């Protein structure tokens, strides 16, 4: 009994001290107190605002954390900046200036000893006053402020806090850094009035004893077998005039690992205390639970509670979450590889430009954004130019196993920041604040450039000293064992497989590409949320305001629209455009990831698309949109990034398996079948093979035999004026989209094919690589000497050219390039010749559009991966999809609860007697009363297709509060139908 009593007393004492430490912090964010803001130039005497009796009723209620402009928007003083061109019409002079923030607070009754005022971030500079006394300044949006206000606060009365926030000033890149560089506008987000000036992160009060814990640092030093060596380091800072003696204690859970040391901290001095495995055997953790990137293992996190006590009282305490993992790097083959815990990680992810263009993403909203990346099977996010500053971003990346490529605040401009010392101080702050997060894999100095002296050398040393070189410092985001940035436009899927897409800067090849992307149009339901009805159709300048036009020229919006029309037919209206765009989104994004995966470790080590999330309602560079609707890009990426992925290489027609995991696949079976539009299986195309695939490796299963029956140039001799190392003239007539002919880098150049005999034809197709002809002629001859022009153009735009003409008779067909569109030569994947009037001896068994269905199963027959593609007899011609008829689907739904979340399950079936395949089914959860789409929703699949007799189970997880007390309803939209299944 005595033993239990002693244990109870000890436990009570521990809990009391724990709760006491937890309570000694109180928020001053606007959800807890009222902040006001006003322009500094509107005050005739700013000192009046320090008076507690000052009347600030005419000031604008402020959102903290947030921005000045955001506060005015929240108070209805500006039109919805998301809608139409509202944000472009704002009077910037109202916000491009310095502002005062003001609030009042009371000190909690349980505060004793020292009281501190803390700021986590202000953009761009600030001066802080409490009760009229200047307490300090902040310089740079990453600098923390911790001000001792013990002697100037009123313990039993209200206190006045005033903060003067300075406008960052233009130009922004790189002069105003450290700041949000894209705030002055980019080709994916608008100029934000005020350049995001404001109190942009948390504000709070805290109370400690004489000694504070500063920047605890927990490192994984070594992992061997099942044992991990870690170290713990912390600075003890004594801000009083008296030496303090006490005990520093640490407890790591799980495992209840305890360590402690008696410490003396001199008056107004600090001591750095280190606990290392050599001195603390408990810090060699046996059977350690390792943290892994998503797809490679779990993400267990440990907690270390550090407490400094003096005179049996807690002076300060901290809880540090950390994951045990170890990074290593190599540049074998001049390609950067990132390894975690001794295993190479194939990097699949995307770039974040901003979390939200007005800094309105907060707290648990990061859970939604990061989880969506996990759902896409991503394992890395690039924090582009360090534009995301909230620690919640890193917390949820730790939780979901998403590595972070973390940039500093420089963008290839040949100018230094106005204050390089403030920049470097903020860089050190960033490293020290974030180094305990398991997710950070790379620190990067500059976007598409090298930091100018002295910053590159300083950043190198900052990482060495303050992160111990535990993570790599990489100076240039697209060079030095990287394969450049771009291209940012829509490409044909095969181009991601056949040859490395063009990248600017860096090395050639697939390698590790830190930026590559395409325009991504929204669904219609999102489109109408921000686009005025009078601007719906056709495309106009309002689309350009949301970055579908010259404002986002790098995204190639005209090329994107042309691809929709060429592949799926001319859209009839905006709904048809949005619908067809999703199929293009699927094709392109799946192609990017599968194209890189196809070359796993054979040059390719990873790919990050530009961009994976949306900061502003737009039509470019996103997977889910601003409202969290999951576009076709999301589902293409999700499939292409599967840890184990079976896919079709459209360049070689090979069926391949990518095993991007640390576990081998043994005795798995790959199957393939082809189906026509009517859902019937096409004989002769079935295939199956059983095989093993080693860990972190690829394997070829078999080749699909799609023969060229009508192409008169197929396998015929070809000749050219010149050829580069990329291929020979024969590669343009081999029927394989994975090979190409390329010429010298000069004008003119030609290639011709010998059809073997004089014969009739009436169509020529040219499939251009990126190096295409801006001007060219098509010519014919019967002797390969005397050429006759049959077609010419001086405004070609690359891609696929299909030239039809009256039937002619000739033996030789030549393309004569007269003007190159790029600095390179002329390059053709294929030169094809057709006689559309010719009867084929053996009818093609494939419908004009047909479908490839793949599956990978284990030896028990359980599905590991599947895939589904549509293919045209004529390359990229899917217009026959319009022939599909509506399928009468069966829909059964049920709803269950998981904690405070709801899960609605939809069982969807196609009848056996369906007239054709049910193609690209889009499942949506809506409010049964209003019909409004419920977002965000986490789903297991969408835009899927069902053969006759097939069924699919779709799960949808969501917050029931989104329904406002109403019921949910499931609807299904078919590609070929205007009606919905409900």
């Amino acid at each position: 009994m005595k033993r239990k009593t002693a244990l109870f007393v000890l436990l009570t004492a521990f809990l009391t001290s724990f709760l006491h430490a937890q309570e000694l912090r109180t928020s001053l964010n606007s959800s807890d107190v009222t902040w006001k803001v006003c322009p500094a130039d509107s005050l005739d005497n700013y000192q009046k605002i320090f008076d507690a009796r000052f009347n600030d009723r005419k000031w604008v209620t402020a959102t903290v954390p947030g921005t000045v402009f955001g506060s005015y928007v929240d108070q209805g003083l500006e039109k919805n900046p998301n809608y139409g061109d509202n944000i472009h019409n704002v009077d910037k002079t109202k916000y491009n200036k310095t502002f005062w923030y003001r609030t009042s607070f009371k000190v909690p009754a349980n505060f004793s000893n020292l009281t501190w005022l803390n700021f986590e971030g202000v953009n761009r500079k600030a001066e802080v006053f409490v009760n009229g006394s200047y307490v300090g300044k902040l310089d740079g949006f990453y600098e923390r402020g911790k001000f001792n206000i013990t002697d100037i606060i009123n313990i039993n009365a209200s206190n006045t806090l005033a903060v003067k926030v300075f406008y960052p000033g233009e130009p922004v890149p790189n002069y105003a850094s450290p700041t949000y560089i894209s705030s002055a506008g980019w080709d994916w987000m608008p100029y934000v009035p005020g350049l995001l000036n404001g109190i942009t992160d948390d504000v709070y009060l805290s109370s400690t004893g004489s000694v504070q814990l500063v920047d605890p640092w927990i490192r994984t030093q070594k992992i061997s077998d099942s044992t991990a060596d870690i170290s713990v380091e912390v600075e003890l800072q004594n801000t009083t005039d008296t030496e303090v003696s006490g005990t520093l204690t640490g407890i790591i859970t799980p495992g209840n690992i305890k360590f402690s040391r008696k410490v003396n901290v001199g008056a107004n001095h600090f001591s750095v205390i280190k606990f290392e495995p050599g001195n603390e055997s408990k810090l060699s953790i046996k059977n350690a639970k390792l943290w892994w990137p998503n797809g490679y293992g779990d993400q267990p996190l440990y907690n270390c509670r550090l407490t400094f006590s003096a005179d049996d009282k807690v002076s300060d305490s901290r809880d540090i979450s950390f994951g045990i993992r170890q990074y290593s790097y190599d540049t074998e083959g001049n390609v950067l590889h990132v390894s975690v815990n001794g295993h190479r990680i194939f990097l699949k992810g995307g770039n974040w430009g901003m979390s939200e263009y007005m800094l309105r993403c907060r707290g648990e909203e990061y859970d939604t954004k990061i989880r969506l990346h996990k759902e896409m099977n991503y394992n890395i996010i690039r924090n582009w130019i360090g534009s995301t500053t909230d620690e919640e971003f890193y917390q949820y990346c730790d939780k979901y196993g998403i590595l972070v490529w973390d940039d500093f605040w420089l963008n290839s401009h040949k100018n230094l920041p106005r204050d390089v010392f403030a920049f470097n101080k903020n860089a050190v702050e960033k490293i020290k604040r974030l180094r305990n997060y398991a997710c950070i894999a790379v620190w990067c100095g500059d976007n598409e450039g090298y930091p100018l002296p002295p910053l590159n050398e300083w950043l190198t040393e900052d990482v060495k000293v303050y992160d111990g070189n535990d993570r790599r410092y990489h100076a240039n985001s697209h060079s030095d064992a990287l394969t450049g940035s771009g291209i940012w436009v829509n490409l044909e899927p095969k181009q991601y497989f056949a040859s490395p897409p063009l990248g600017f800067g860096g090395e050639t090849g697939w390698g590790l590409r830190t930026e590559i992307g395409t325009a991504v149009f929204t669904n219609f339901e999102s489109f109408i949320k921000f686009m005025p009805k009078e601007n719906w159709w056709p495309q106009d300048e309002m689309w350009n305001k949301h970055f579908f036009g010259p404002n986002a020229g790098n995204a190639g919006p005209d090329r994107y629209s042309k691809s929709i029309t060429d592949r799926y037919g001319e859209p009839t209206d905006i709904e048809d455009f949005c619908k067809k765009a999703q199929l293009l989104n699927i094709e392109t994004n799946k192609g990017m990831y599968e194209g890189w995966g196809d070359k796993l470790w054979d040059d390719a080590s990873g790919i990050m698309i530009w961009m994976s999330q949306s900061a502003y309602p737009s039509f470019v560079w996103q997977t889910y949109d601003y409202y969290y609707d999951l576009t076709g890009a999301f589902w293409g990426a999700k499939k292409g990034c599967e840890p184990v992925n079976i896919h079709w290489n459209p360049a070689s027609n090979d069926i391949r398996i990518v095993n991007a995991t640390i576990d081998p696949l043994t005795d798995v079976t790959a199957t393939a079948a082809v189906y026509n539009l009517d859902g019937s299986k096409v004989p002769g195309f079935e295939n199956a093979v059983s095989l093993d695939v080693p860990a972190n490796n690829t394997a070829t299963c078999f080749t699909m035999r799609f023969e060229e029956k009508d192409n008169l140039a197929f396998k015929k001799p070809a000749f050219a004026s010149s050829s580069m190392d990329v291929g020979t003239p024969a590669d343009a007539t081999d029927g394989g989209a994975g090979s190409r002919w390329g010429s010298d880098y000069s004008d003119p150049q030609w290639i011709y094919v010998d059809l073997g005999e004089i014969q009739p034809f009436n169509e020529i197709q040219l499939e251009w690589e990126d190096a295409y002809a801006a001007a060219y002629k098509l010519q014919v001859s019967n002797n390969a000497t005397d050429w006759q022009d049959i077609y010419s153009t001086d405004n070609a735009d690359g891609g696929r050219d299909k030239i039809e003409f009256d039937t002619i008779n000739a033996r030789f067909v030549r393309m004569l390039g007269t003007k190159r569109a790029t600095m390179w030569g002329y390059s053709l994947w294929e030169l094809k010749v057709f006689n559309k009037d010719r009867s084929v001896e053996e009818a093609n068994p494939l419908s004009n559009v047909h479908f490839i269905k793949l599956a990978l199963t284990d030896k028990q027959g359980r599905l590991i991966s599947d895939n589904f593609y549509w293919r045209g007899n004529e390359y990229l011609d899917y217009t026959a999809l319009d022939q599909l008829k509506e399928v009468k689907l069966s829909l059964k739904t049920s709803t269950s609860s998981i904690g405070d979340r709801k899960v609605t399950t939809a069982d969807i079936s196609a009848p056996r007697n369906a007239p054709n395949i049910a193609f690209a089914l889009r499942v949506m959860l809506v409010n049964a009363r209003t019909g409004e789409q419920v977002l965000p929703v986490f789903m297991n699949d969408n835009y899927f297709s069902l053969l006759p007799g097939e069924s699919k189970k779709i799960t949808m997880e969501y917050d029931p509060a989104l329904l406002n007390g109403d019921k949910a309803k499931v609807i299904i939209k078919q590609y070929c139908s205007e009606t919905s299944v409900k």
Side-chain angles (χ1 to χ4, degrees), residues 254 289-303 321-325 327 340-341 345 370 374 378-379 394-403 438-439 643:
K289 301 178 185 298
L290 302 186
W291 185 95
W292 292 94
N294 182 35
Y296 288 86
D298 296 329
Q299 294 80 44
L301 294 174
Y302 287 80
N303 185 78
S321 174
F322 67 98
I324 296 177
R325 79 286 173 266
Y327 289 100
V340 178
N341 303 331
I345 306 299
I370 305 299
K374 174 184 171 63
Y378 280 3
N379 57 32
Y394 300 92
Q395 292 166 8
Y396 288 108
C397 284
D398 269 10
K399 175 181 177 180
Y400 289 119
I402 306 298
L403 303 175
C439 57

Side-chain angles (χ1 to χ4, degrees), residues 101-115:
Y101 280 79
R102 186 178 186 277
T103 192
S104 60
F105 65 88
K106 289 187 176 181
V107 178
N110 61 344
F111 273 30
S112 60
N113 207 337
L114 302 179
T115 297

Side-chain angles (χ1 to χ4, degrees), residues 395-630:
Q395 292 166 8
Y396 288 108
C397 284
D398 269 10
K399 175 181 177 180
Y400 289 119
I402 306 298
L403 303 175
V404 178
W405 176 290
D406 212 345
D407 291 3
F408 292 99
W409 317 285
L410 298 169
N411 180 57
S412 66
H413 285 66
K414 299 304 180 183
N415 60 272
L416 287 167
R418 296 185 189 100
D419 187 340
V420 294
F421 301 104
F423 181 97
N424 192 58
K425 183 177 181 182
N426 278 253
V428 172
E429 283 277 274
K430 175 170 181 168
I431 295 169
K432 292 169 75 172
R433 285 173 70 169
L434 303 178
R435 61 192 177 187
N436 289 315
Y437 289 103
C439 57
I440 297 175
V442 174
W443 302 107
C444 186
D446 194 319
N447 177 57
E448 300 178 342
Y450 293 93
L452 296 177
L455 292 185
N456 198 31
E457 292 76 9
W458 288 3
L459 290 170
T460 300
E461 287 300 309
D462 291 342
V463 172
K464 177 180 179 180
V465 172
Y466 298 107
D467 195 36
N469 279 337
D470 288 350
R471 270 70 68 102
R472 177 184 179 90
Y473 171 69
H474 201 91
N476 186 323
S477 75
H478 74 172
S479 190
D480 303 328
L482 305 175
T483 57
S485 300
I487 189 168
W488 301 274
V489 302
N490 172 269
L491 299 179
E492 300 165 9
K494 73 175 182 185
Q495 290 188 252
Y496 299 110
F497 291 82
S499 65
L502 175 68
F504 299 93
E507 313 298 332
T508 59
W510 280 273
L512 177 53
R513 186 72 58 91
T514 54
E515 290 185 27
I516 186 172
T518 173
V520 173
F521 216 84
T522 65
N523 282 302
F524 178 67
E525 291 78 9
S526 290
F527 179 90
I528 62 178
K529 290 178 181 178
F530 61 87
M531 188 63 62
K533 191 167 185 177
E534 60 268 24
N535 304 109
W536 284 9
W537 191 258
Q539 177 181 345
D540 65 7
E541 177 58 20
M542 193 64 77
W543 289 33
N544 187 37
K545 298 296 186 184
H546 291 267
F547 301 98
F548 201 81
N551 286 350
N554 279 342
D558 292 342
R559 178 173 181 157
Y560 183 90
S561 295
K562 185 177 185 297
S563 294
I564 291 174
T565 298
D566 289 350
R567 300 185 200 184
Y568 298 99
E570 184 76 36
T572 56
D573 56 22
I574 184 57
E575 288 191 71
D576 194 39
F577 185 92
C578 290
K579 177 184 71 175
K580 290 174 176 175
Q582 302 318 310
L583 299 184
L584 186 67
N585 293 340
I586 292 170
E587 280 192 282
T588 308
N589 284 271
K590 184 161 67 168
M592 276 190 281
Y593 287 109
E594 290 185 343
W596 248 259
D598 194 76
K599 304 296 186 293
L600 175 72
W601 312 137
D602 180 14
D603 183 31
S605 70
I607 170 177
M608 289 173 256
I609 66 165
W610 183 264
M611 307 162 76
S612 58
Q613 83 99 31
S614 180
Y616 173 73
S618 76
F619 306 116
V620 289
W621 302 320
Q622 57 194 336
T623 52
Y624 52 85
D625 68 25
Y626 183 83
Y627 306 99
Y628 295 118
D629 196 6
L630 311 180

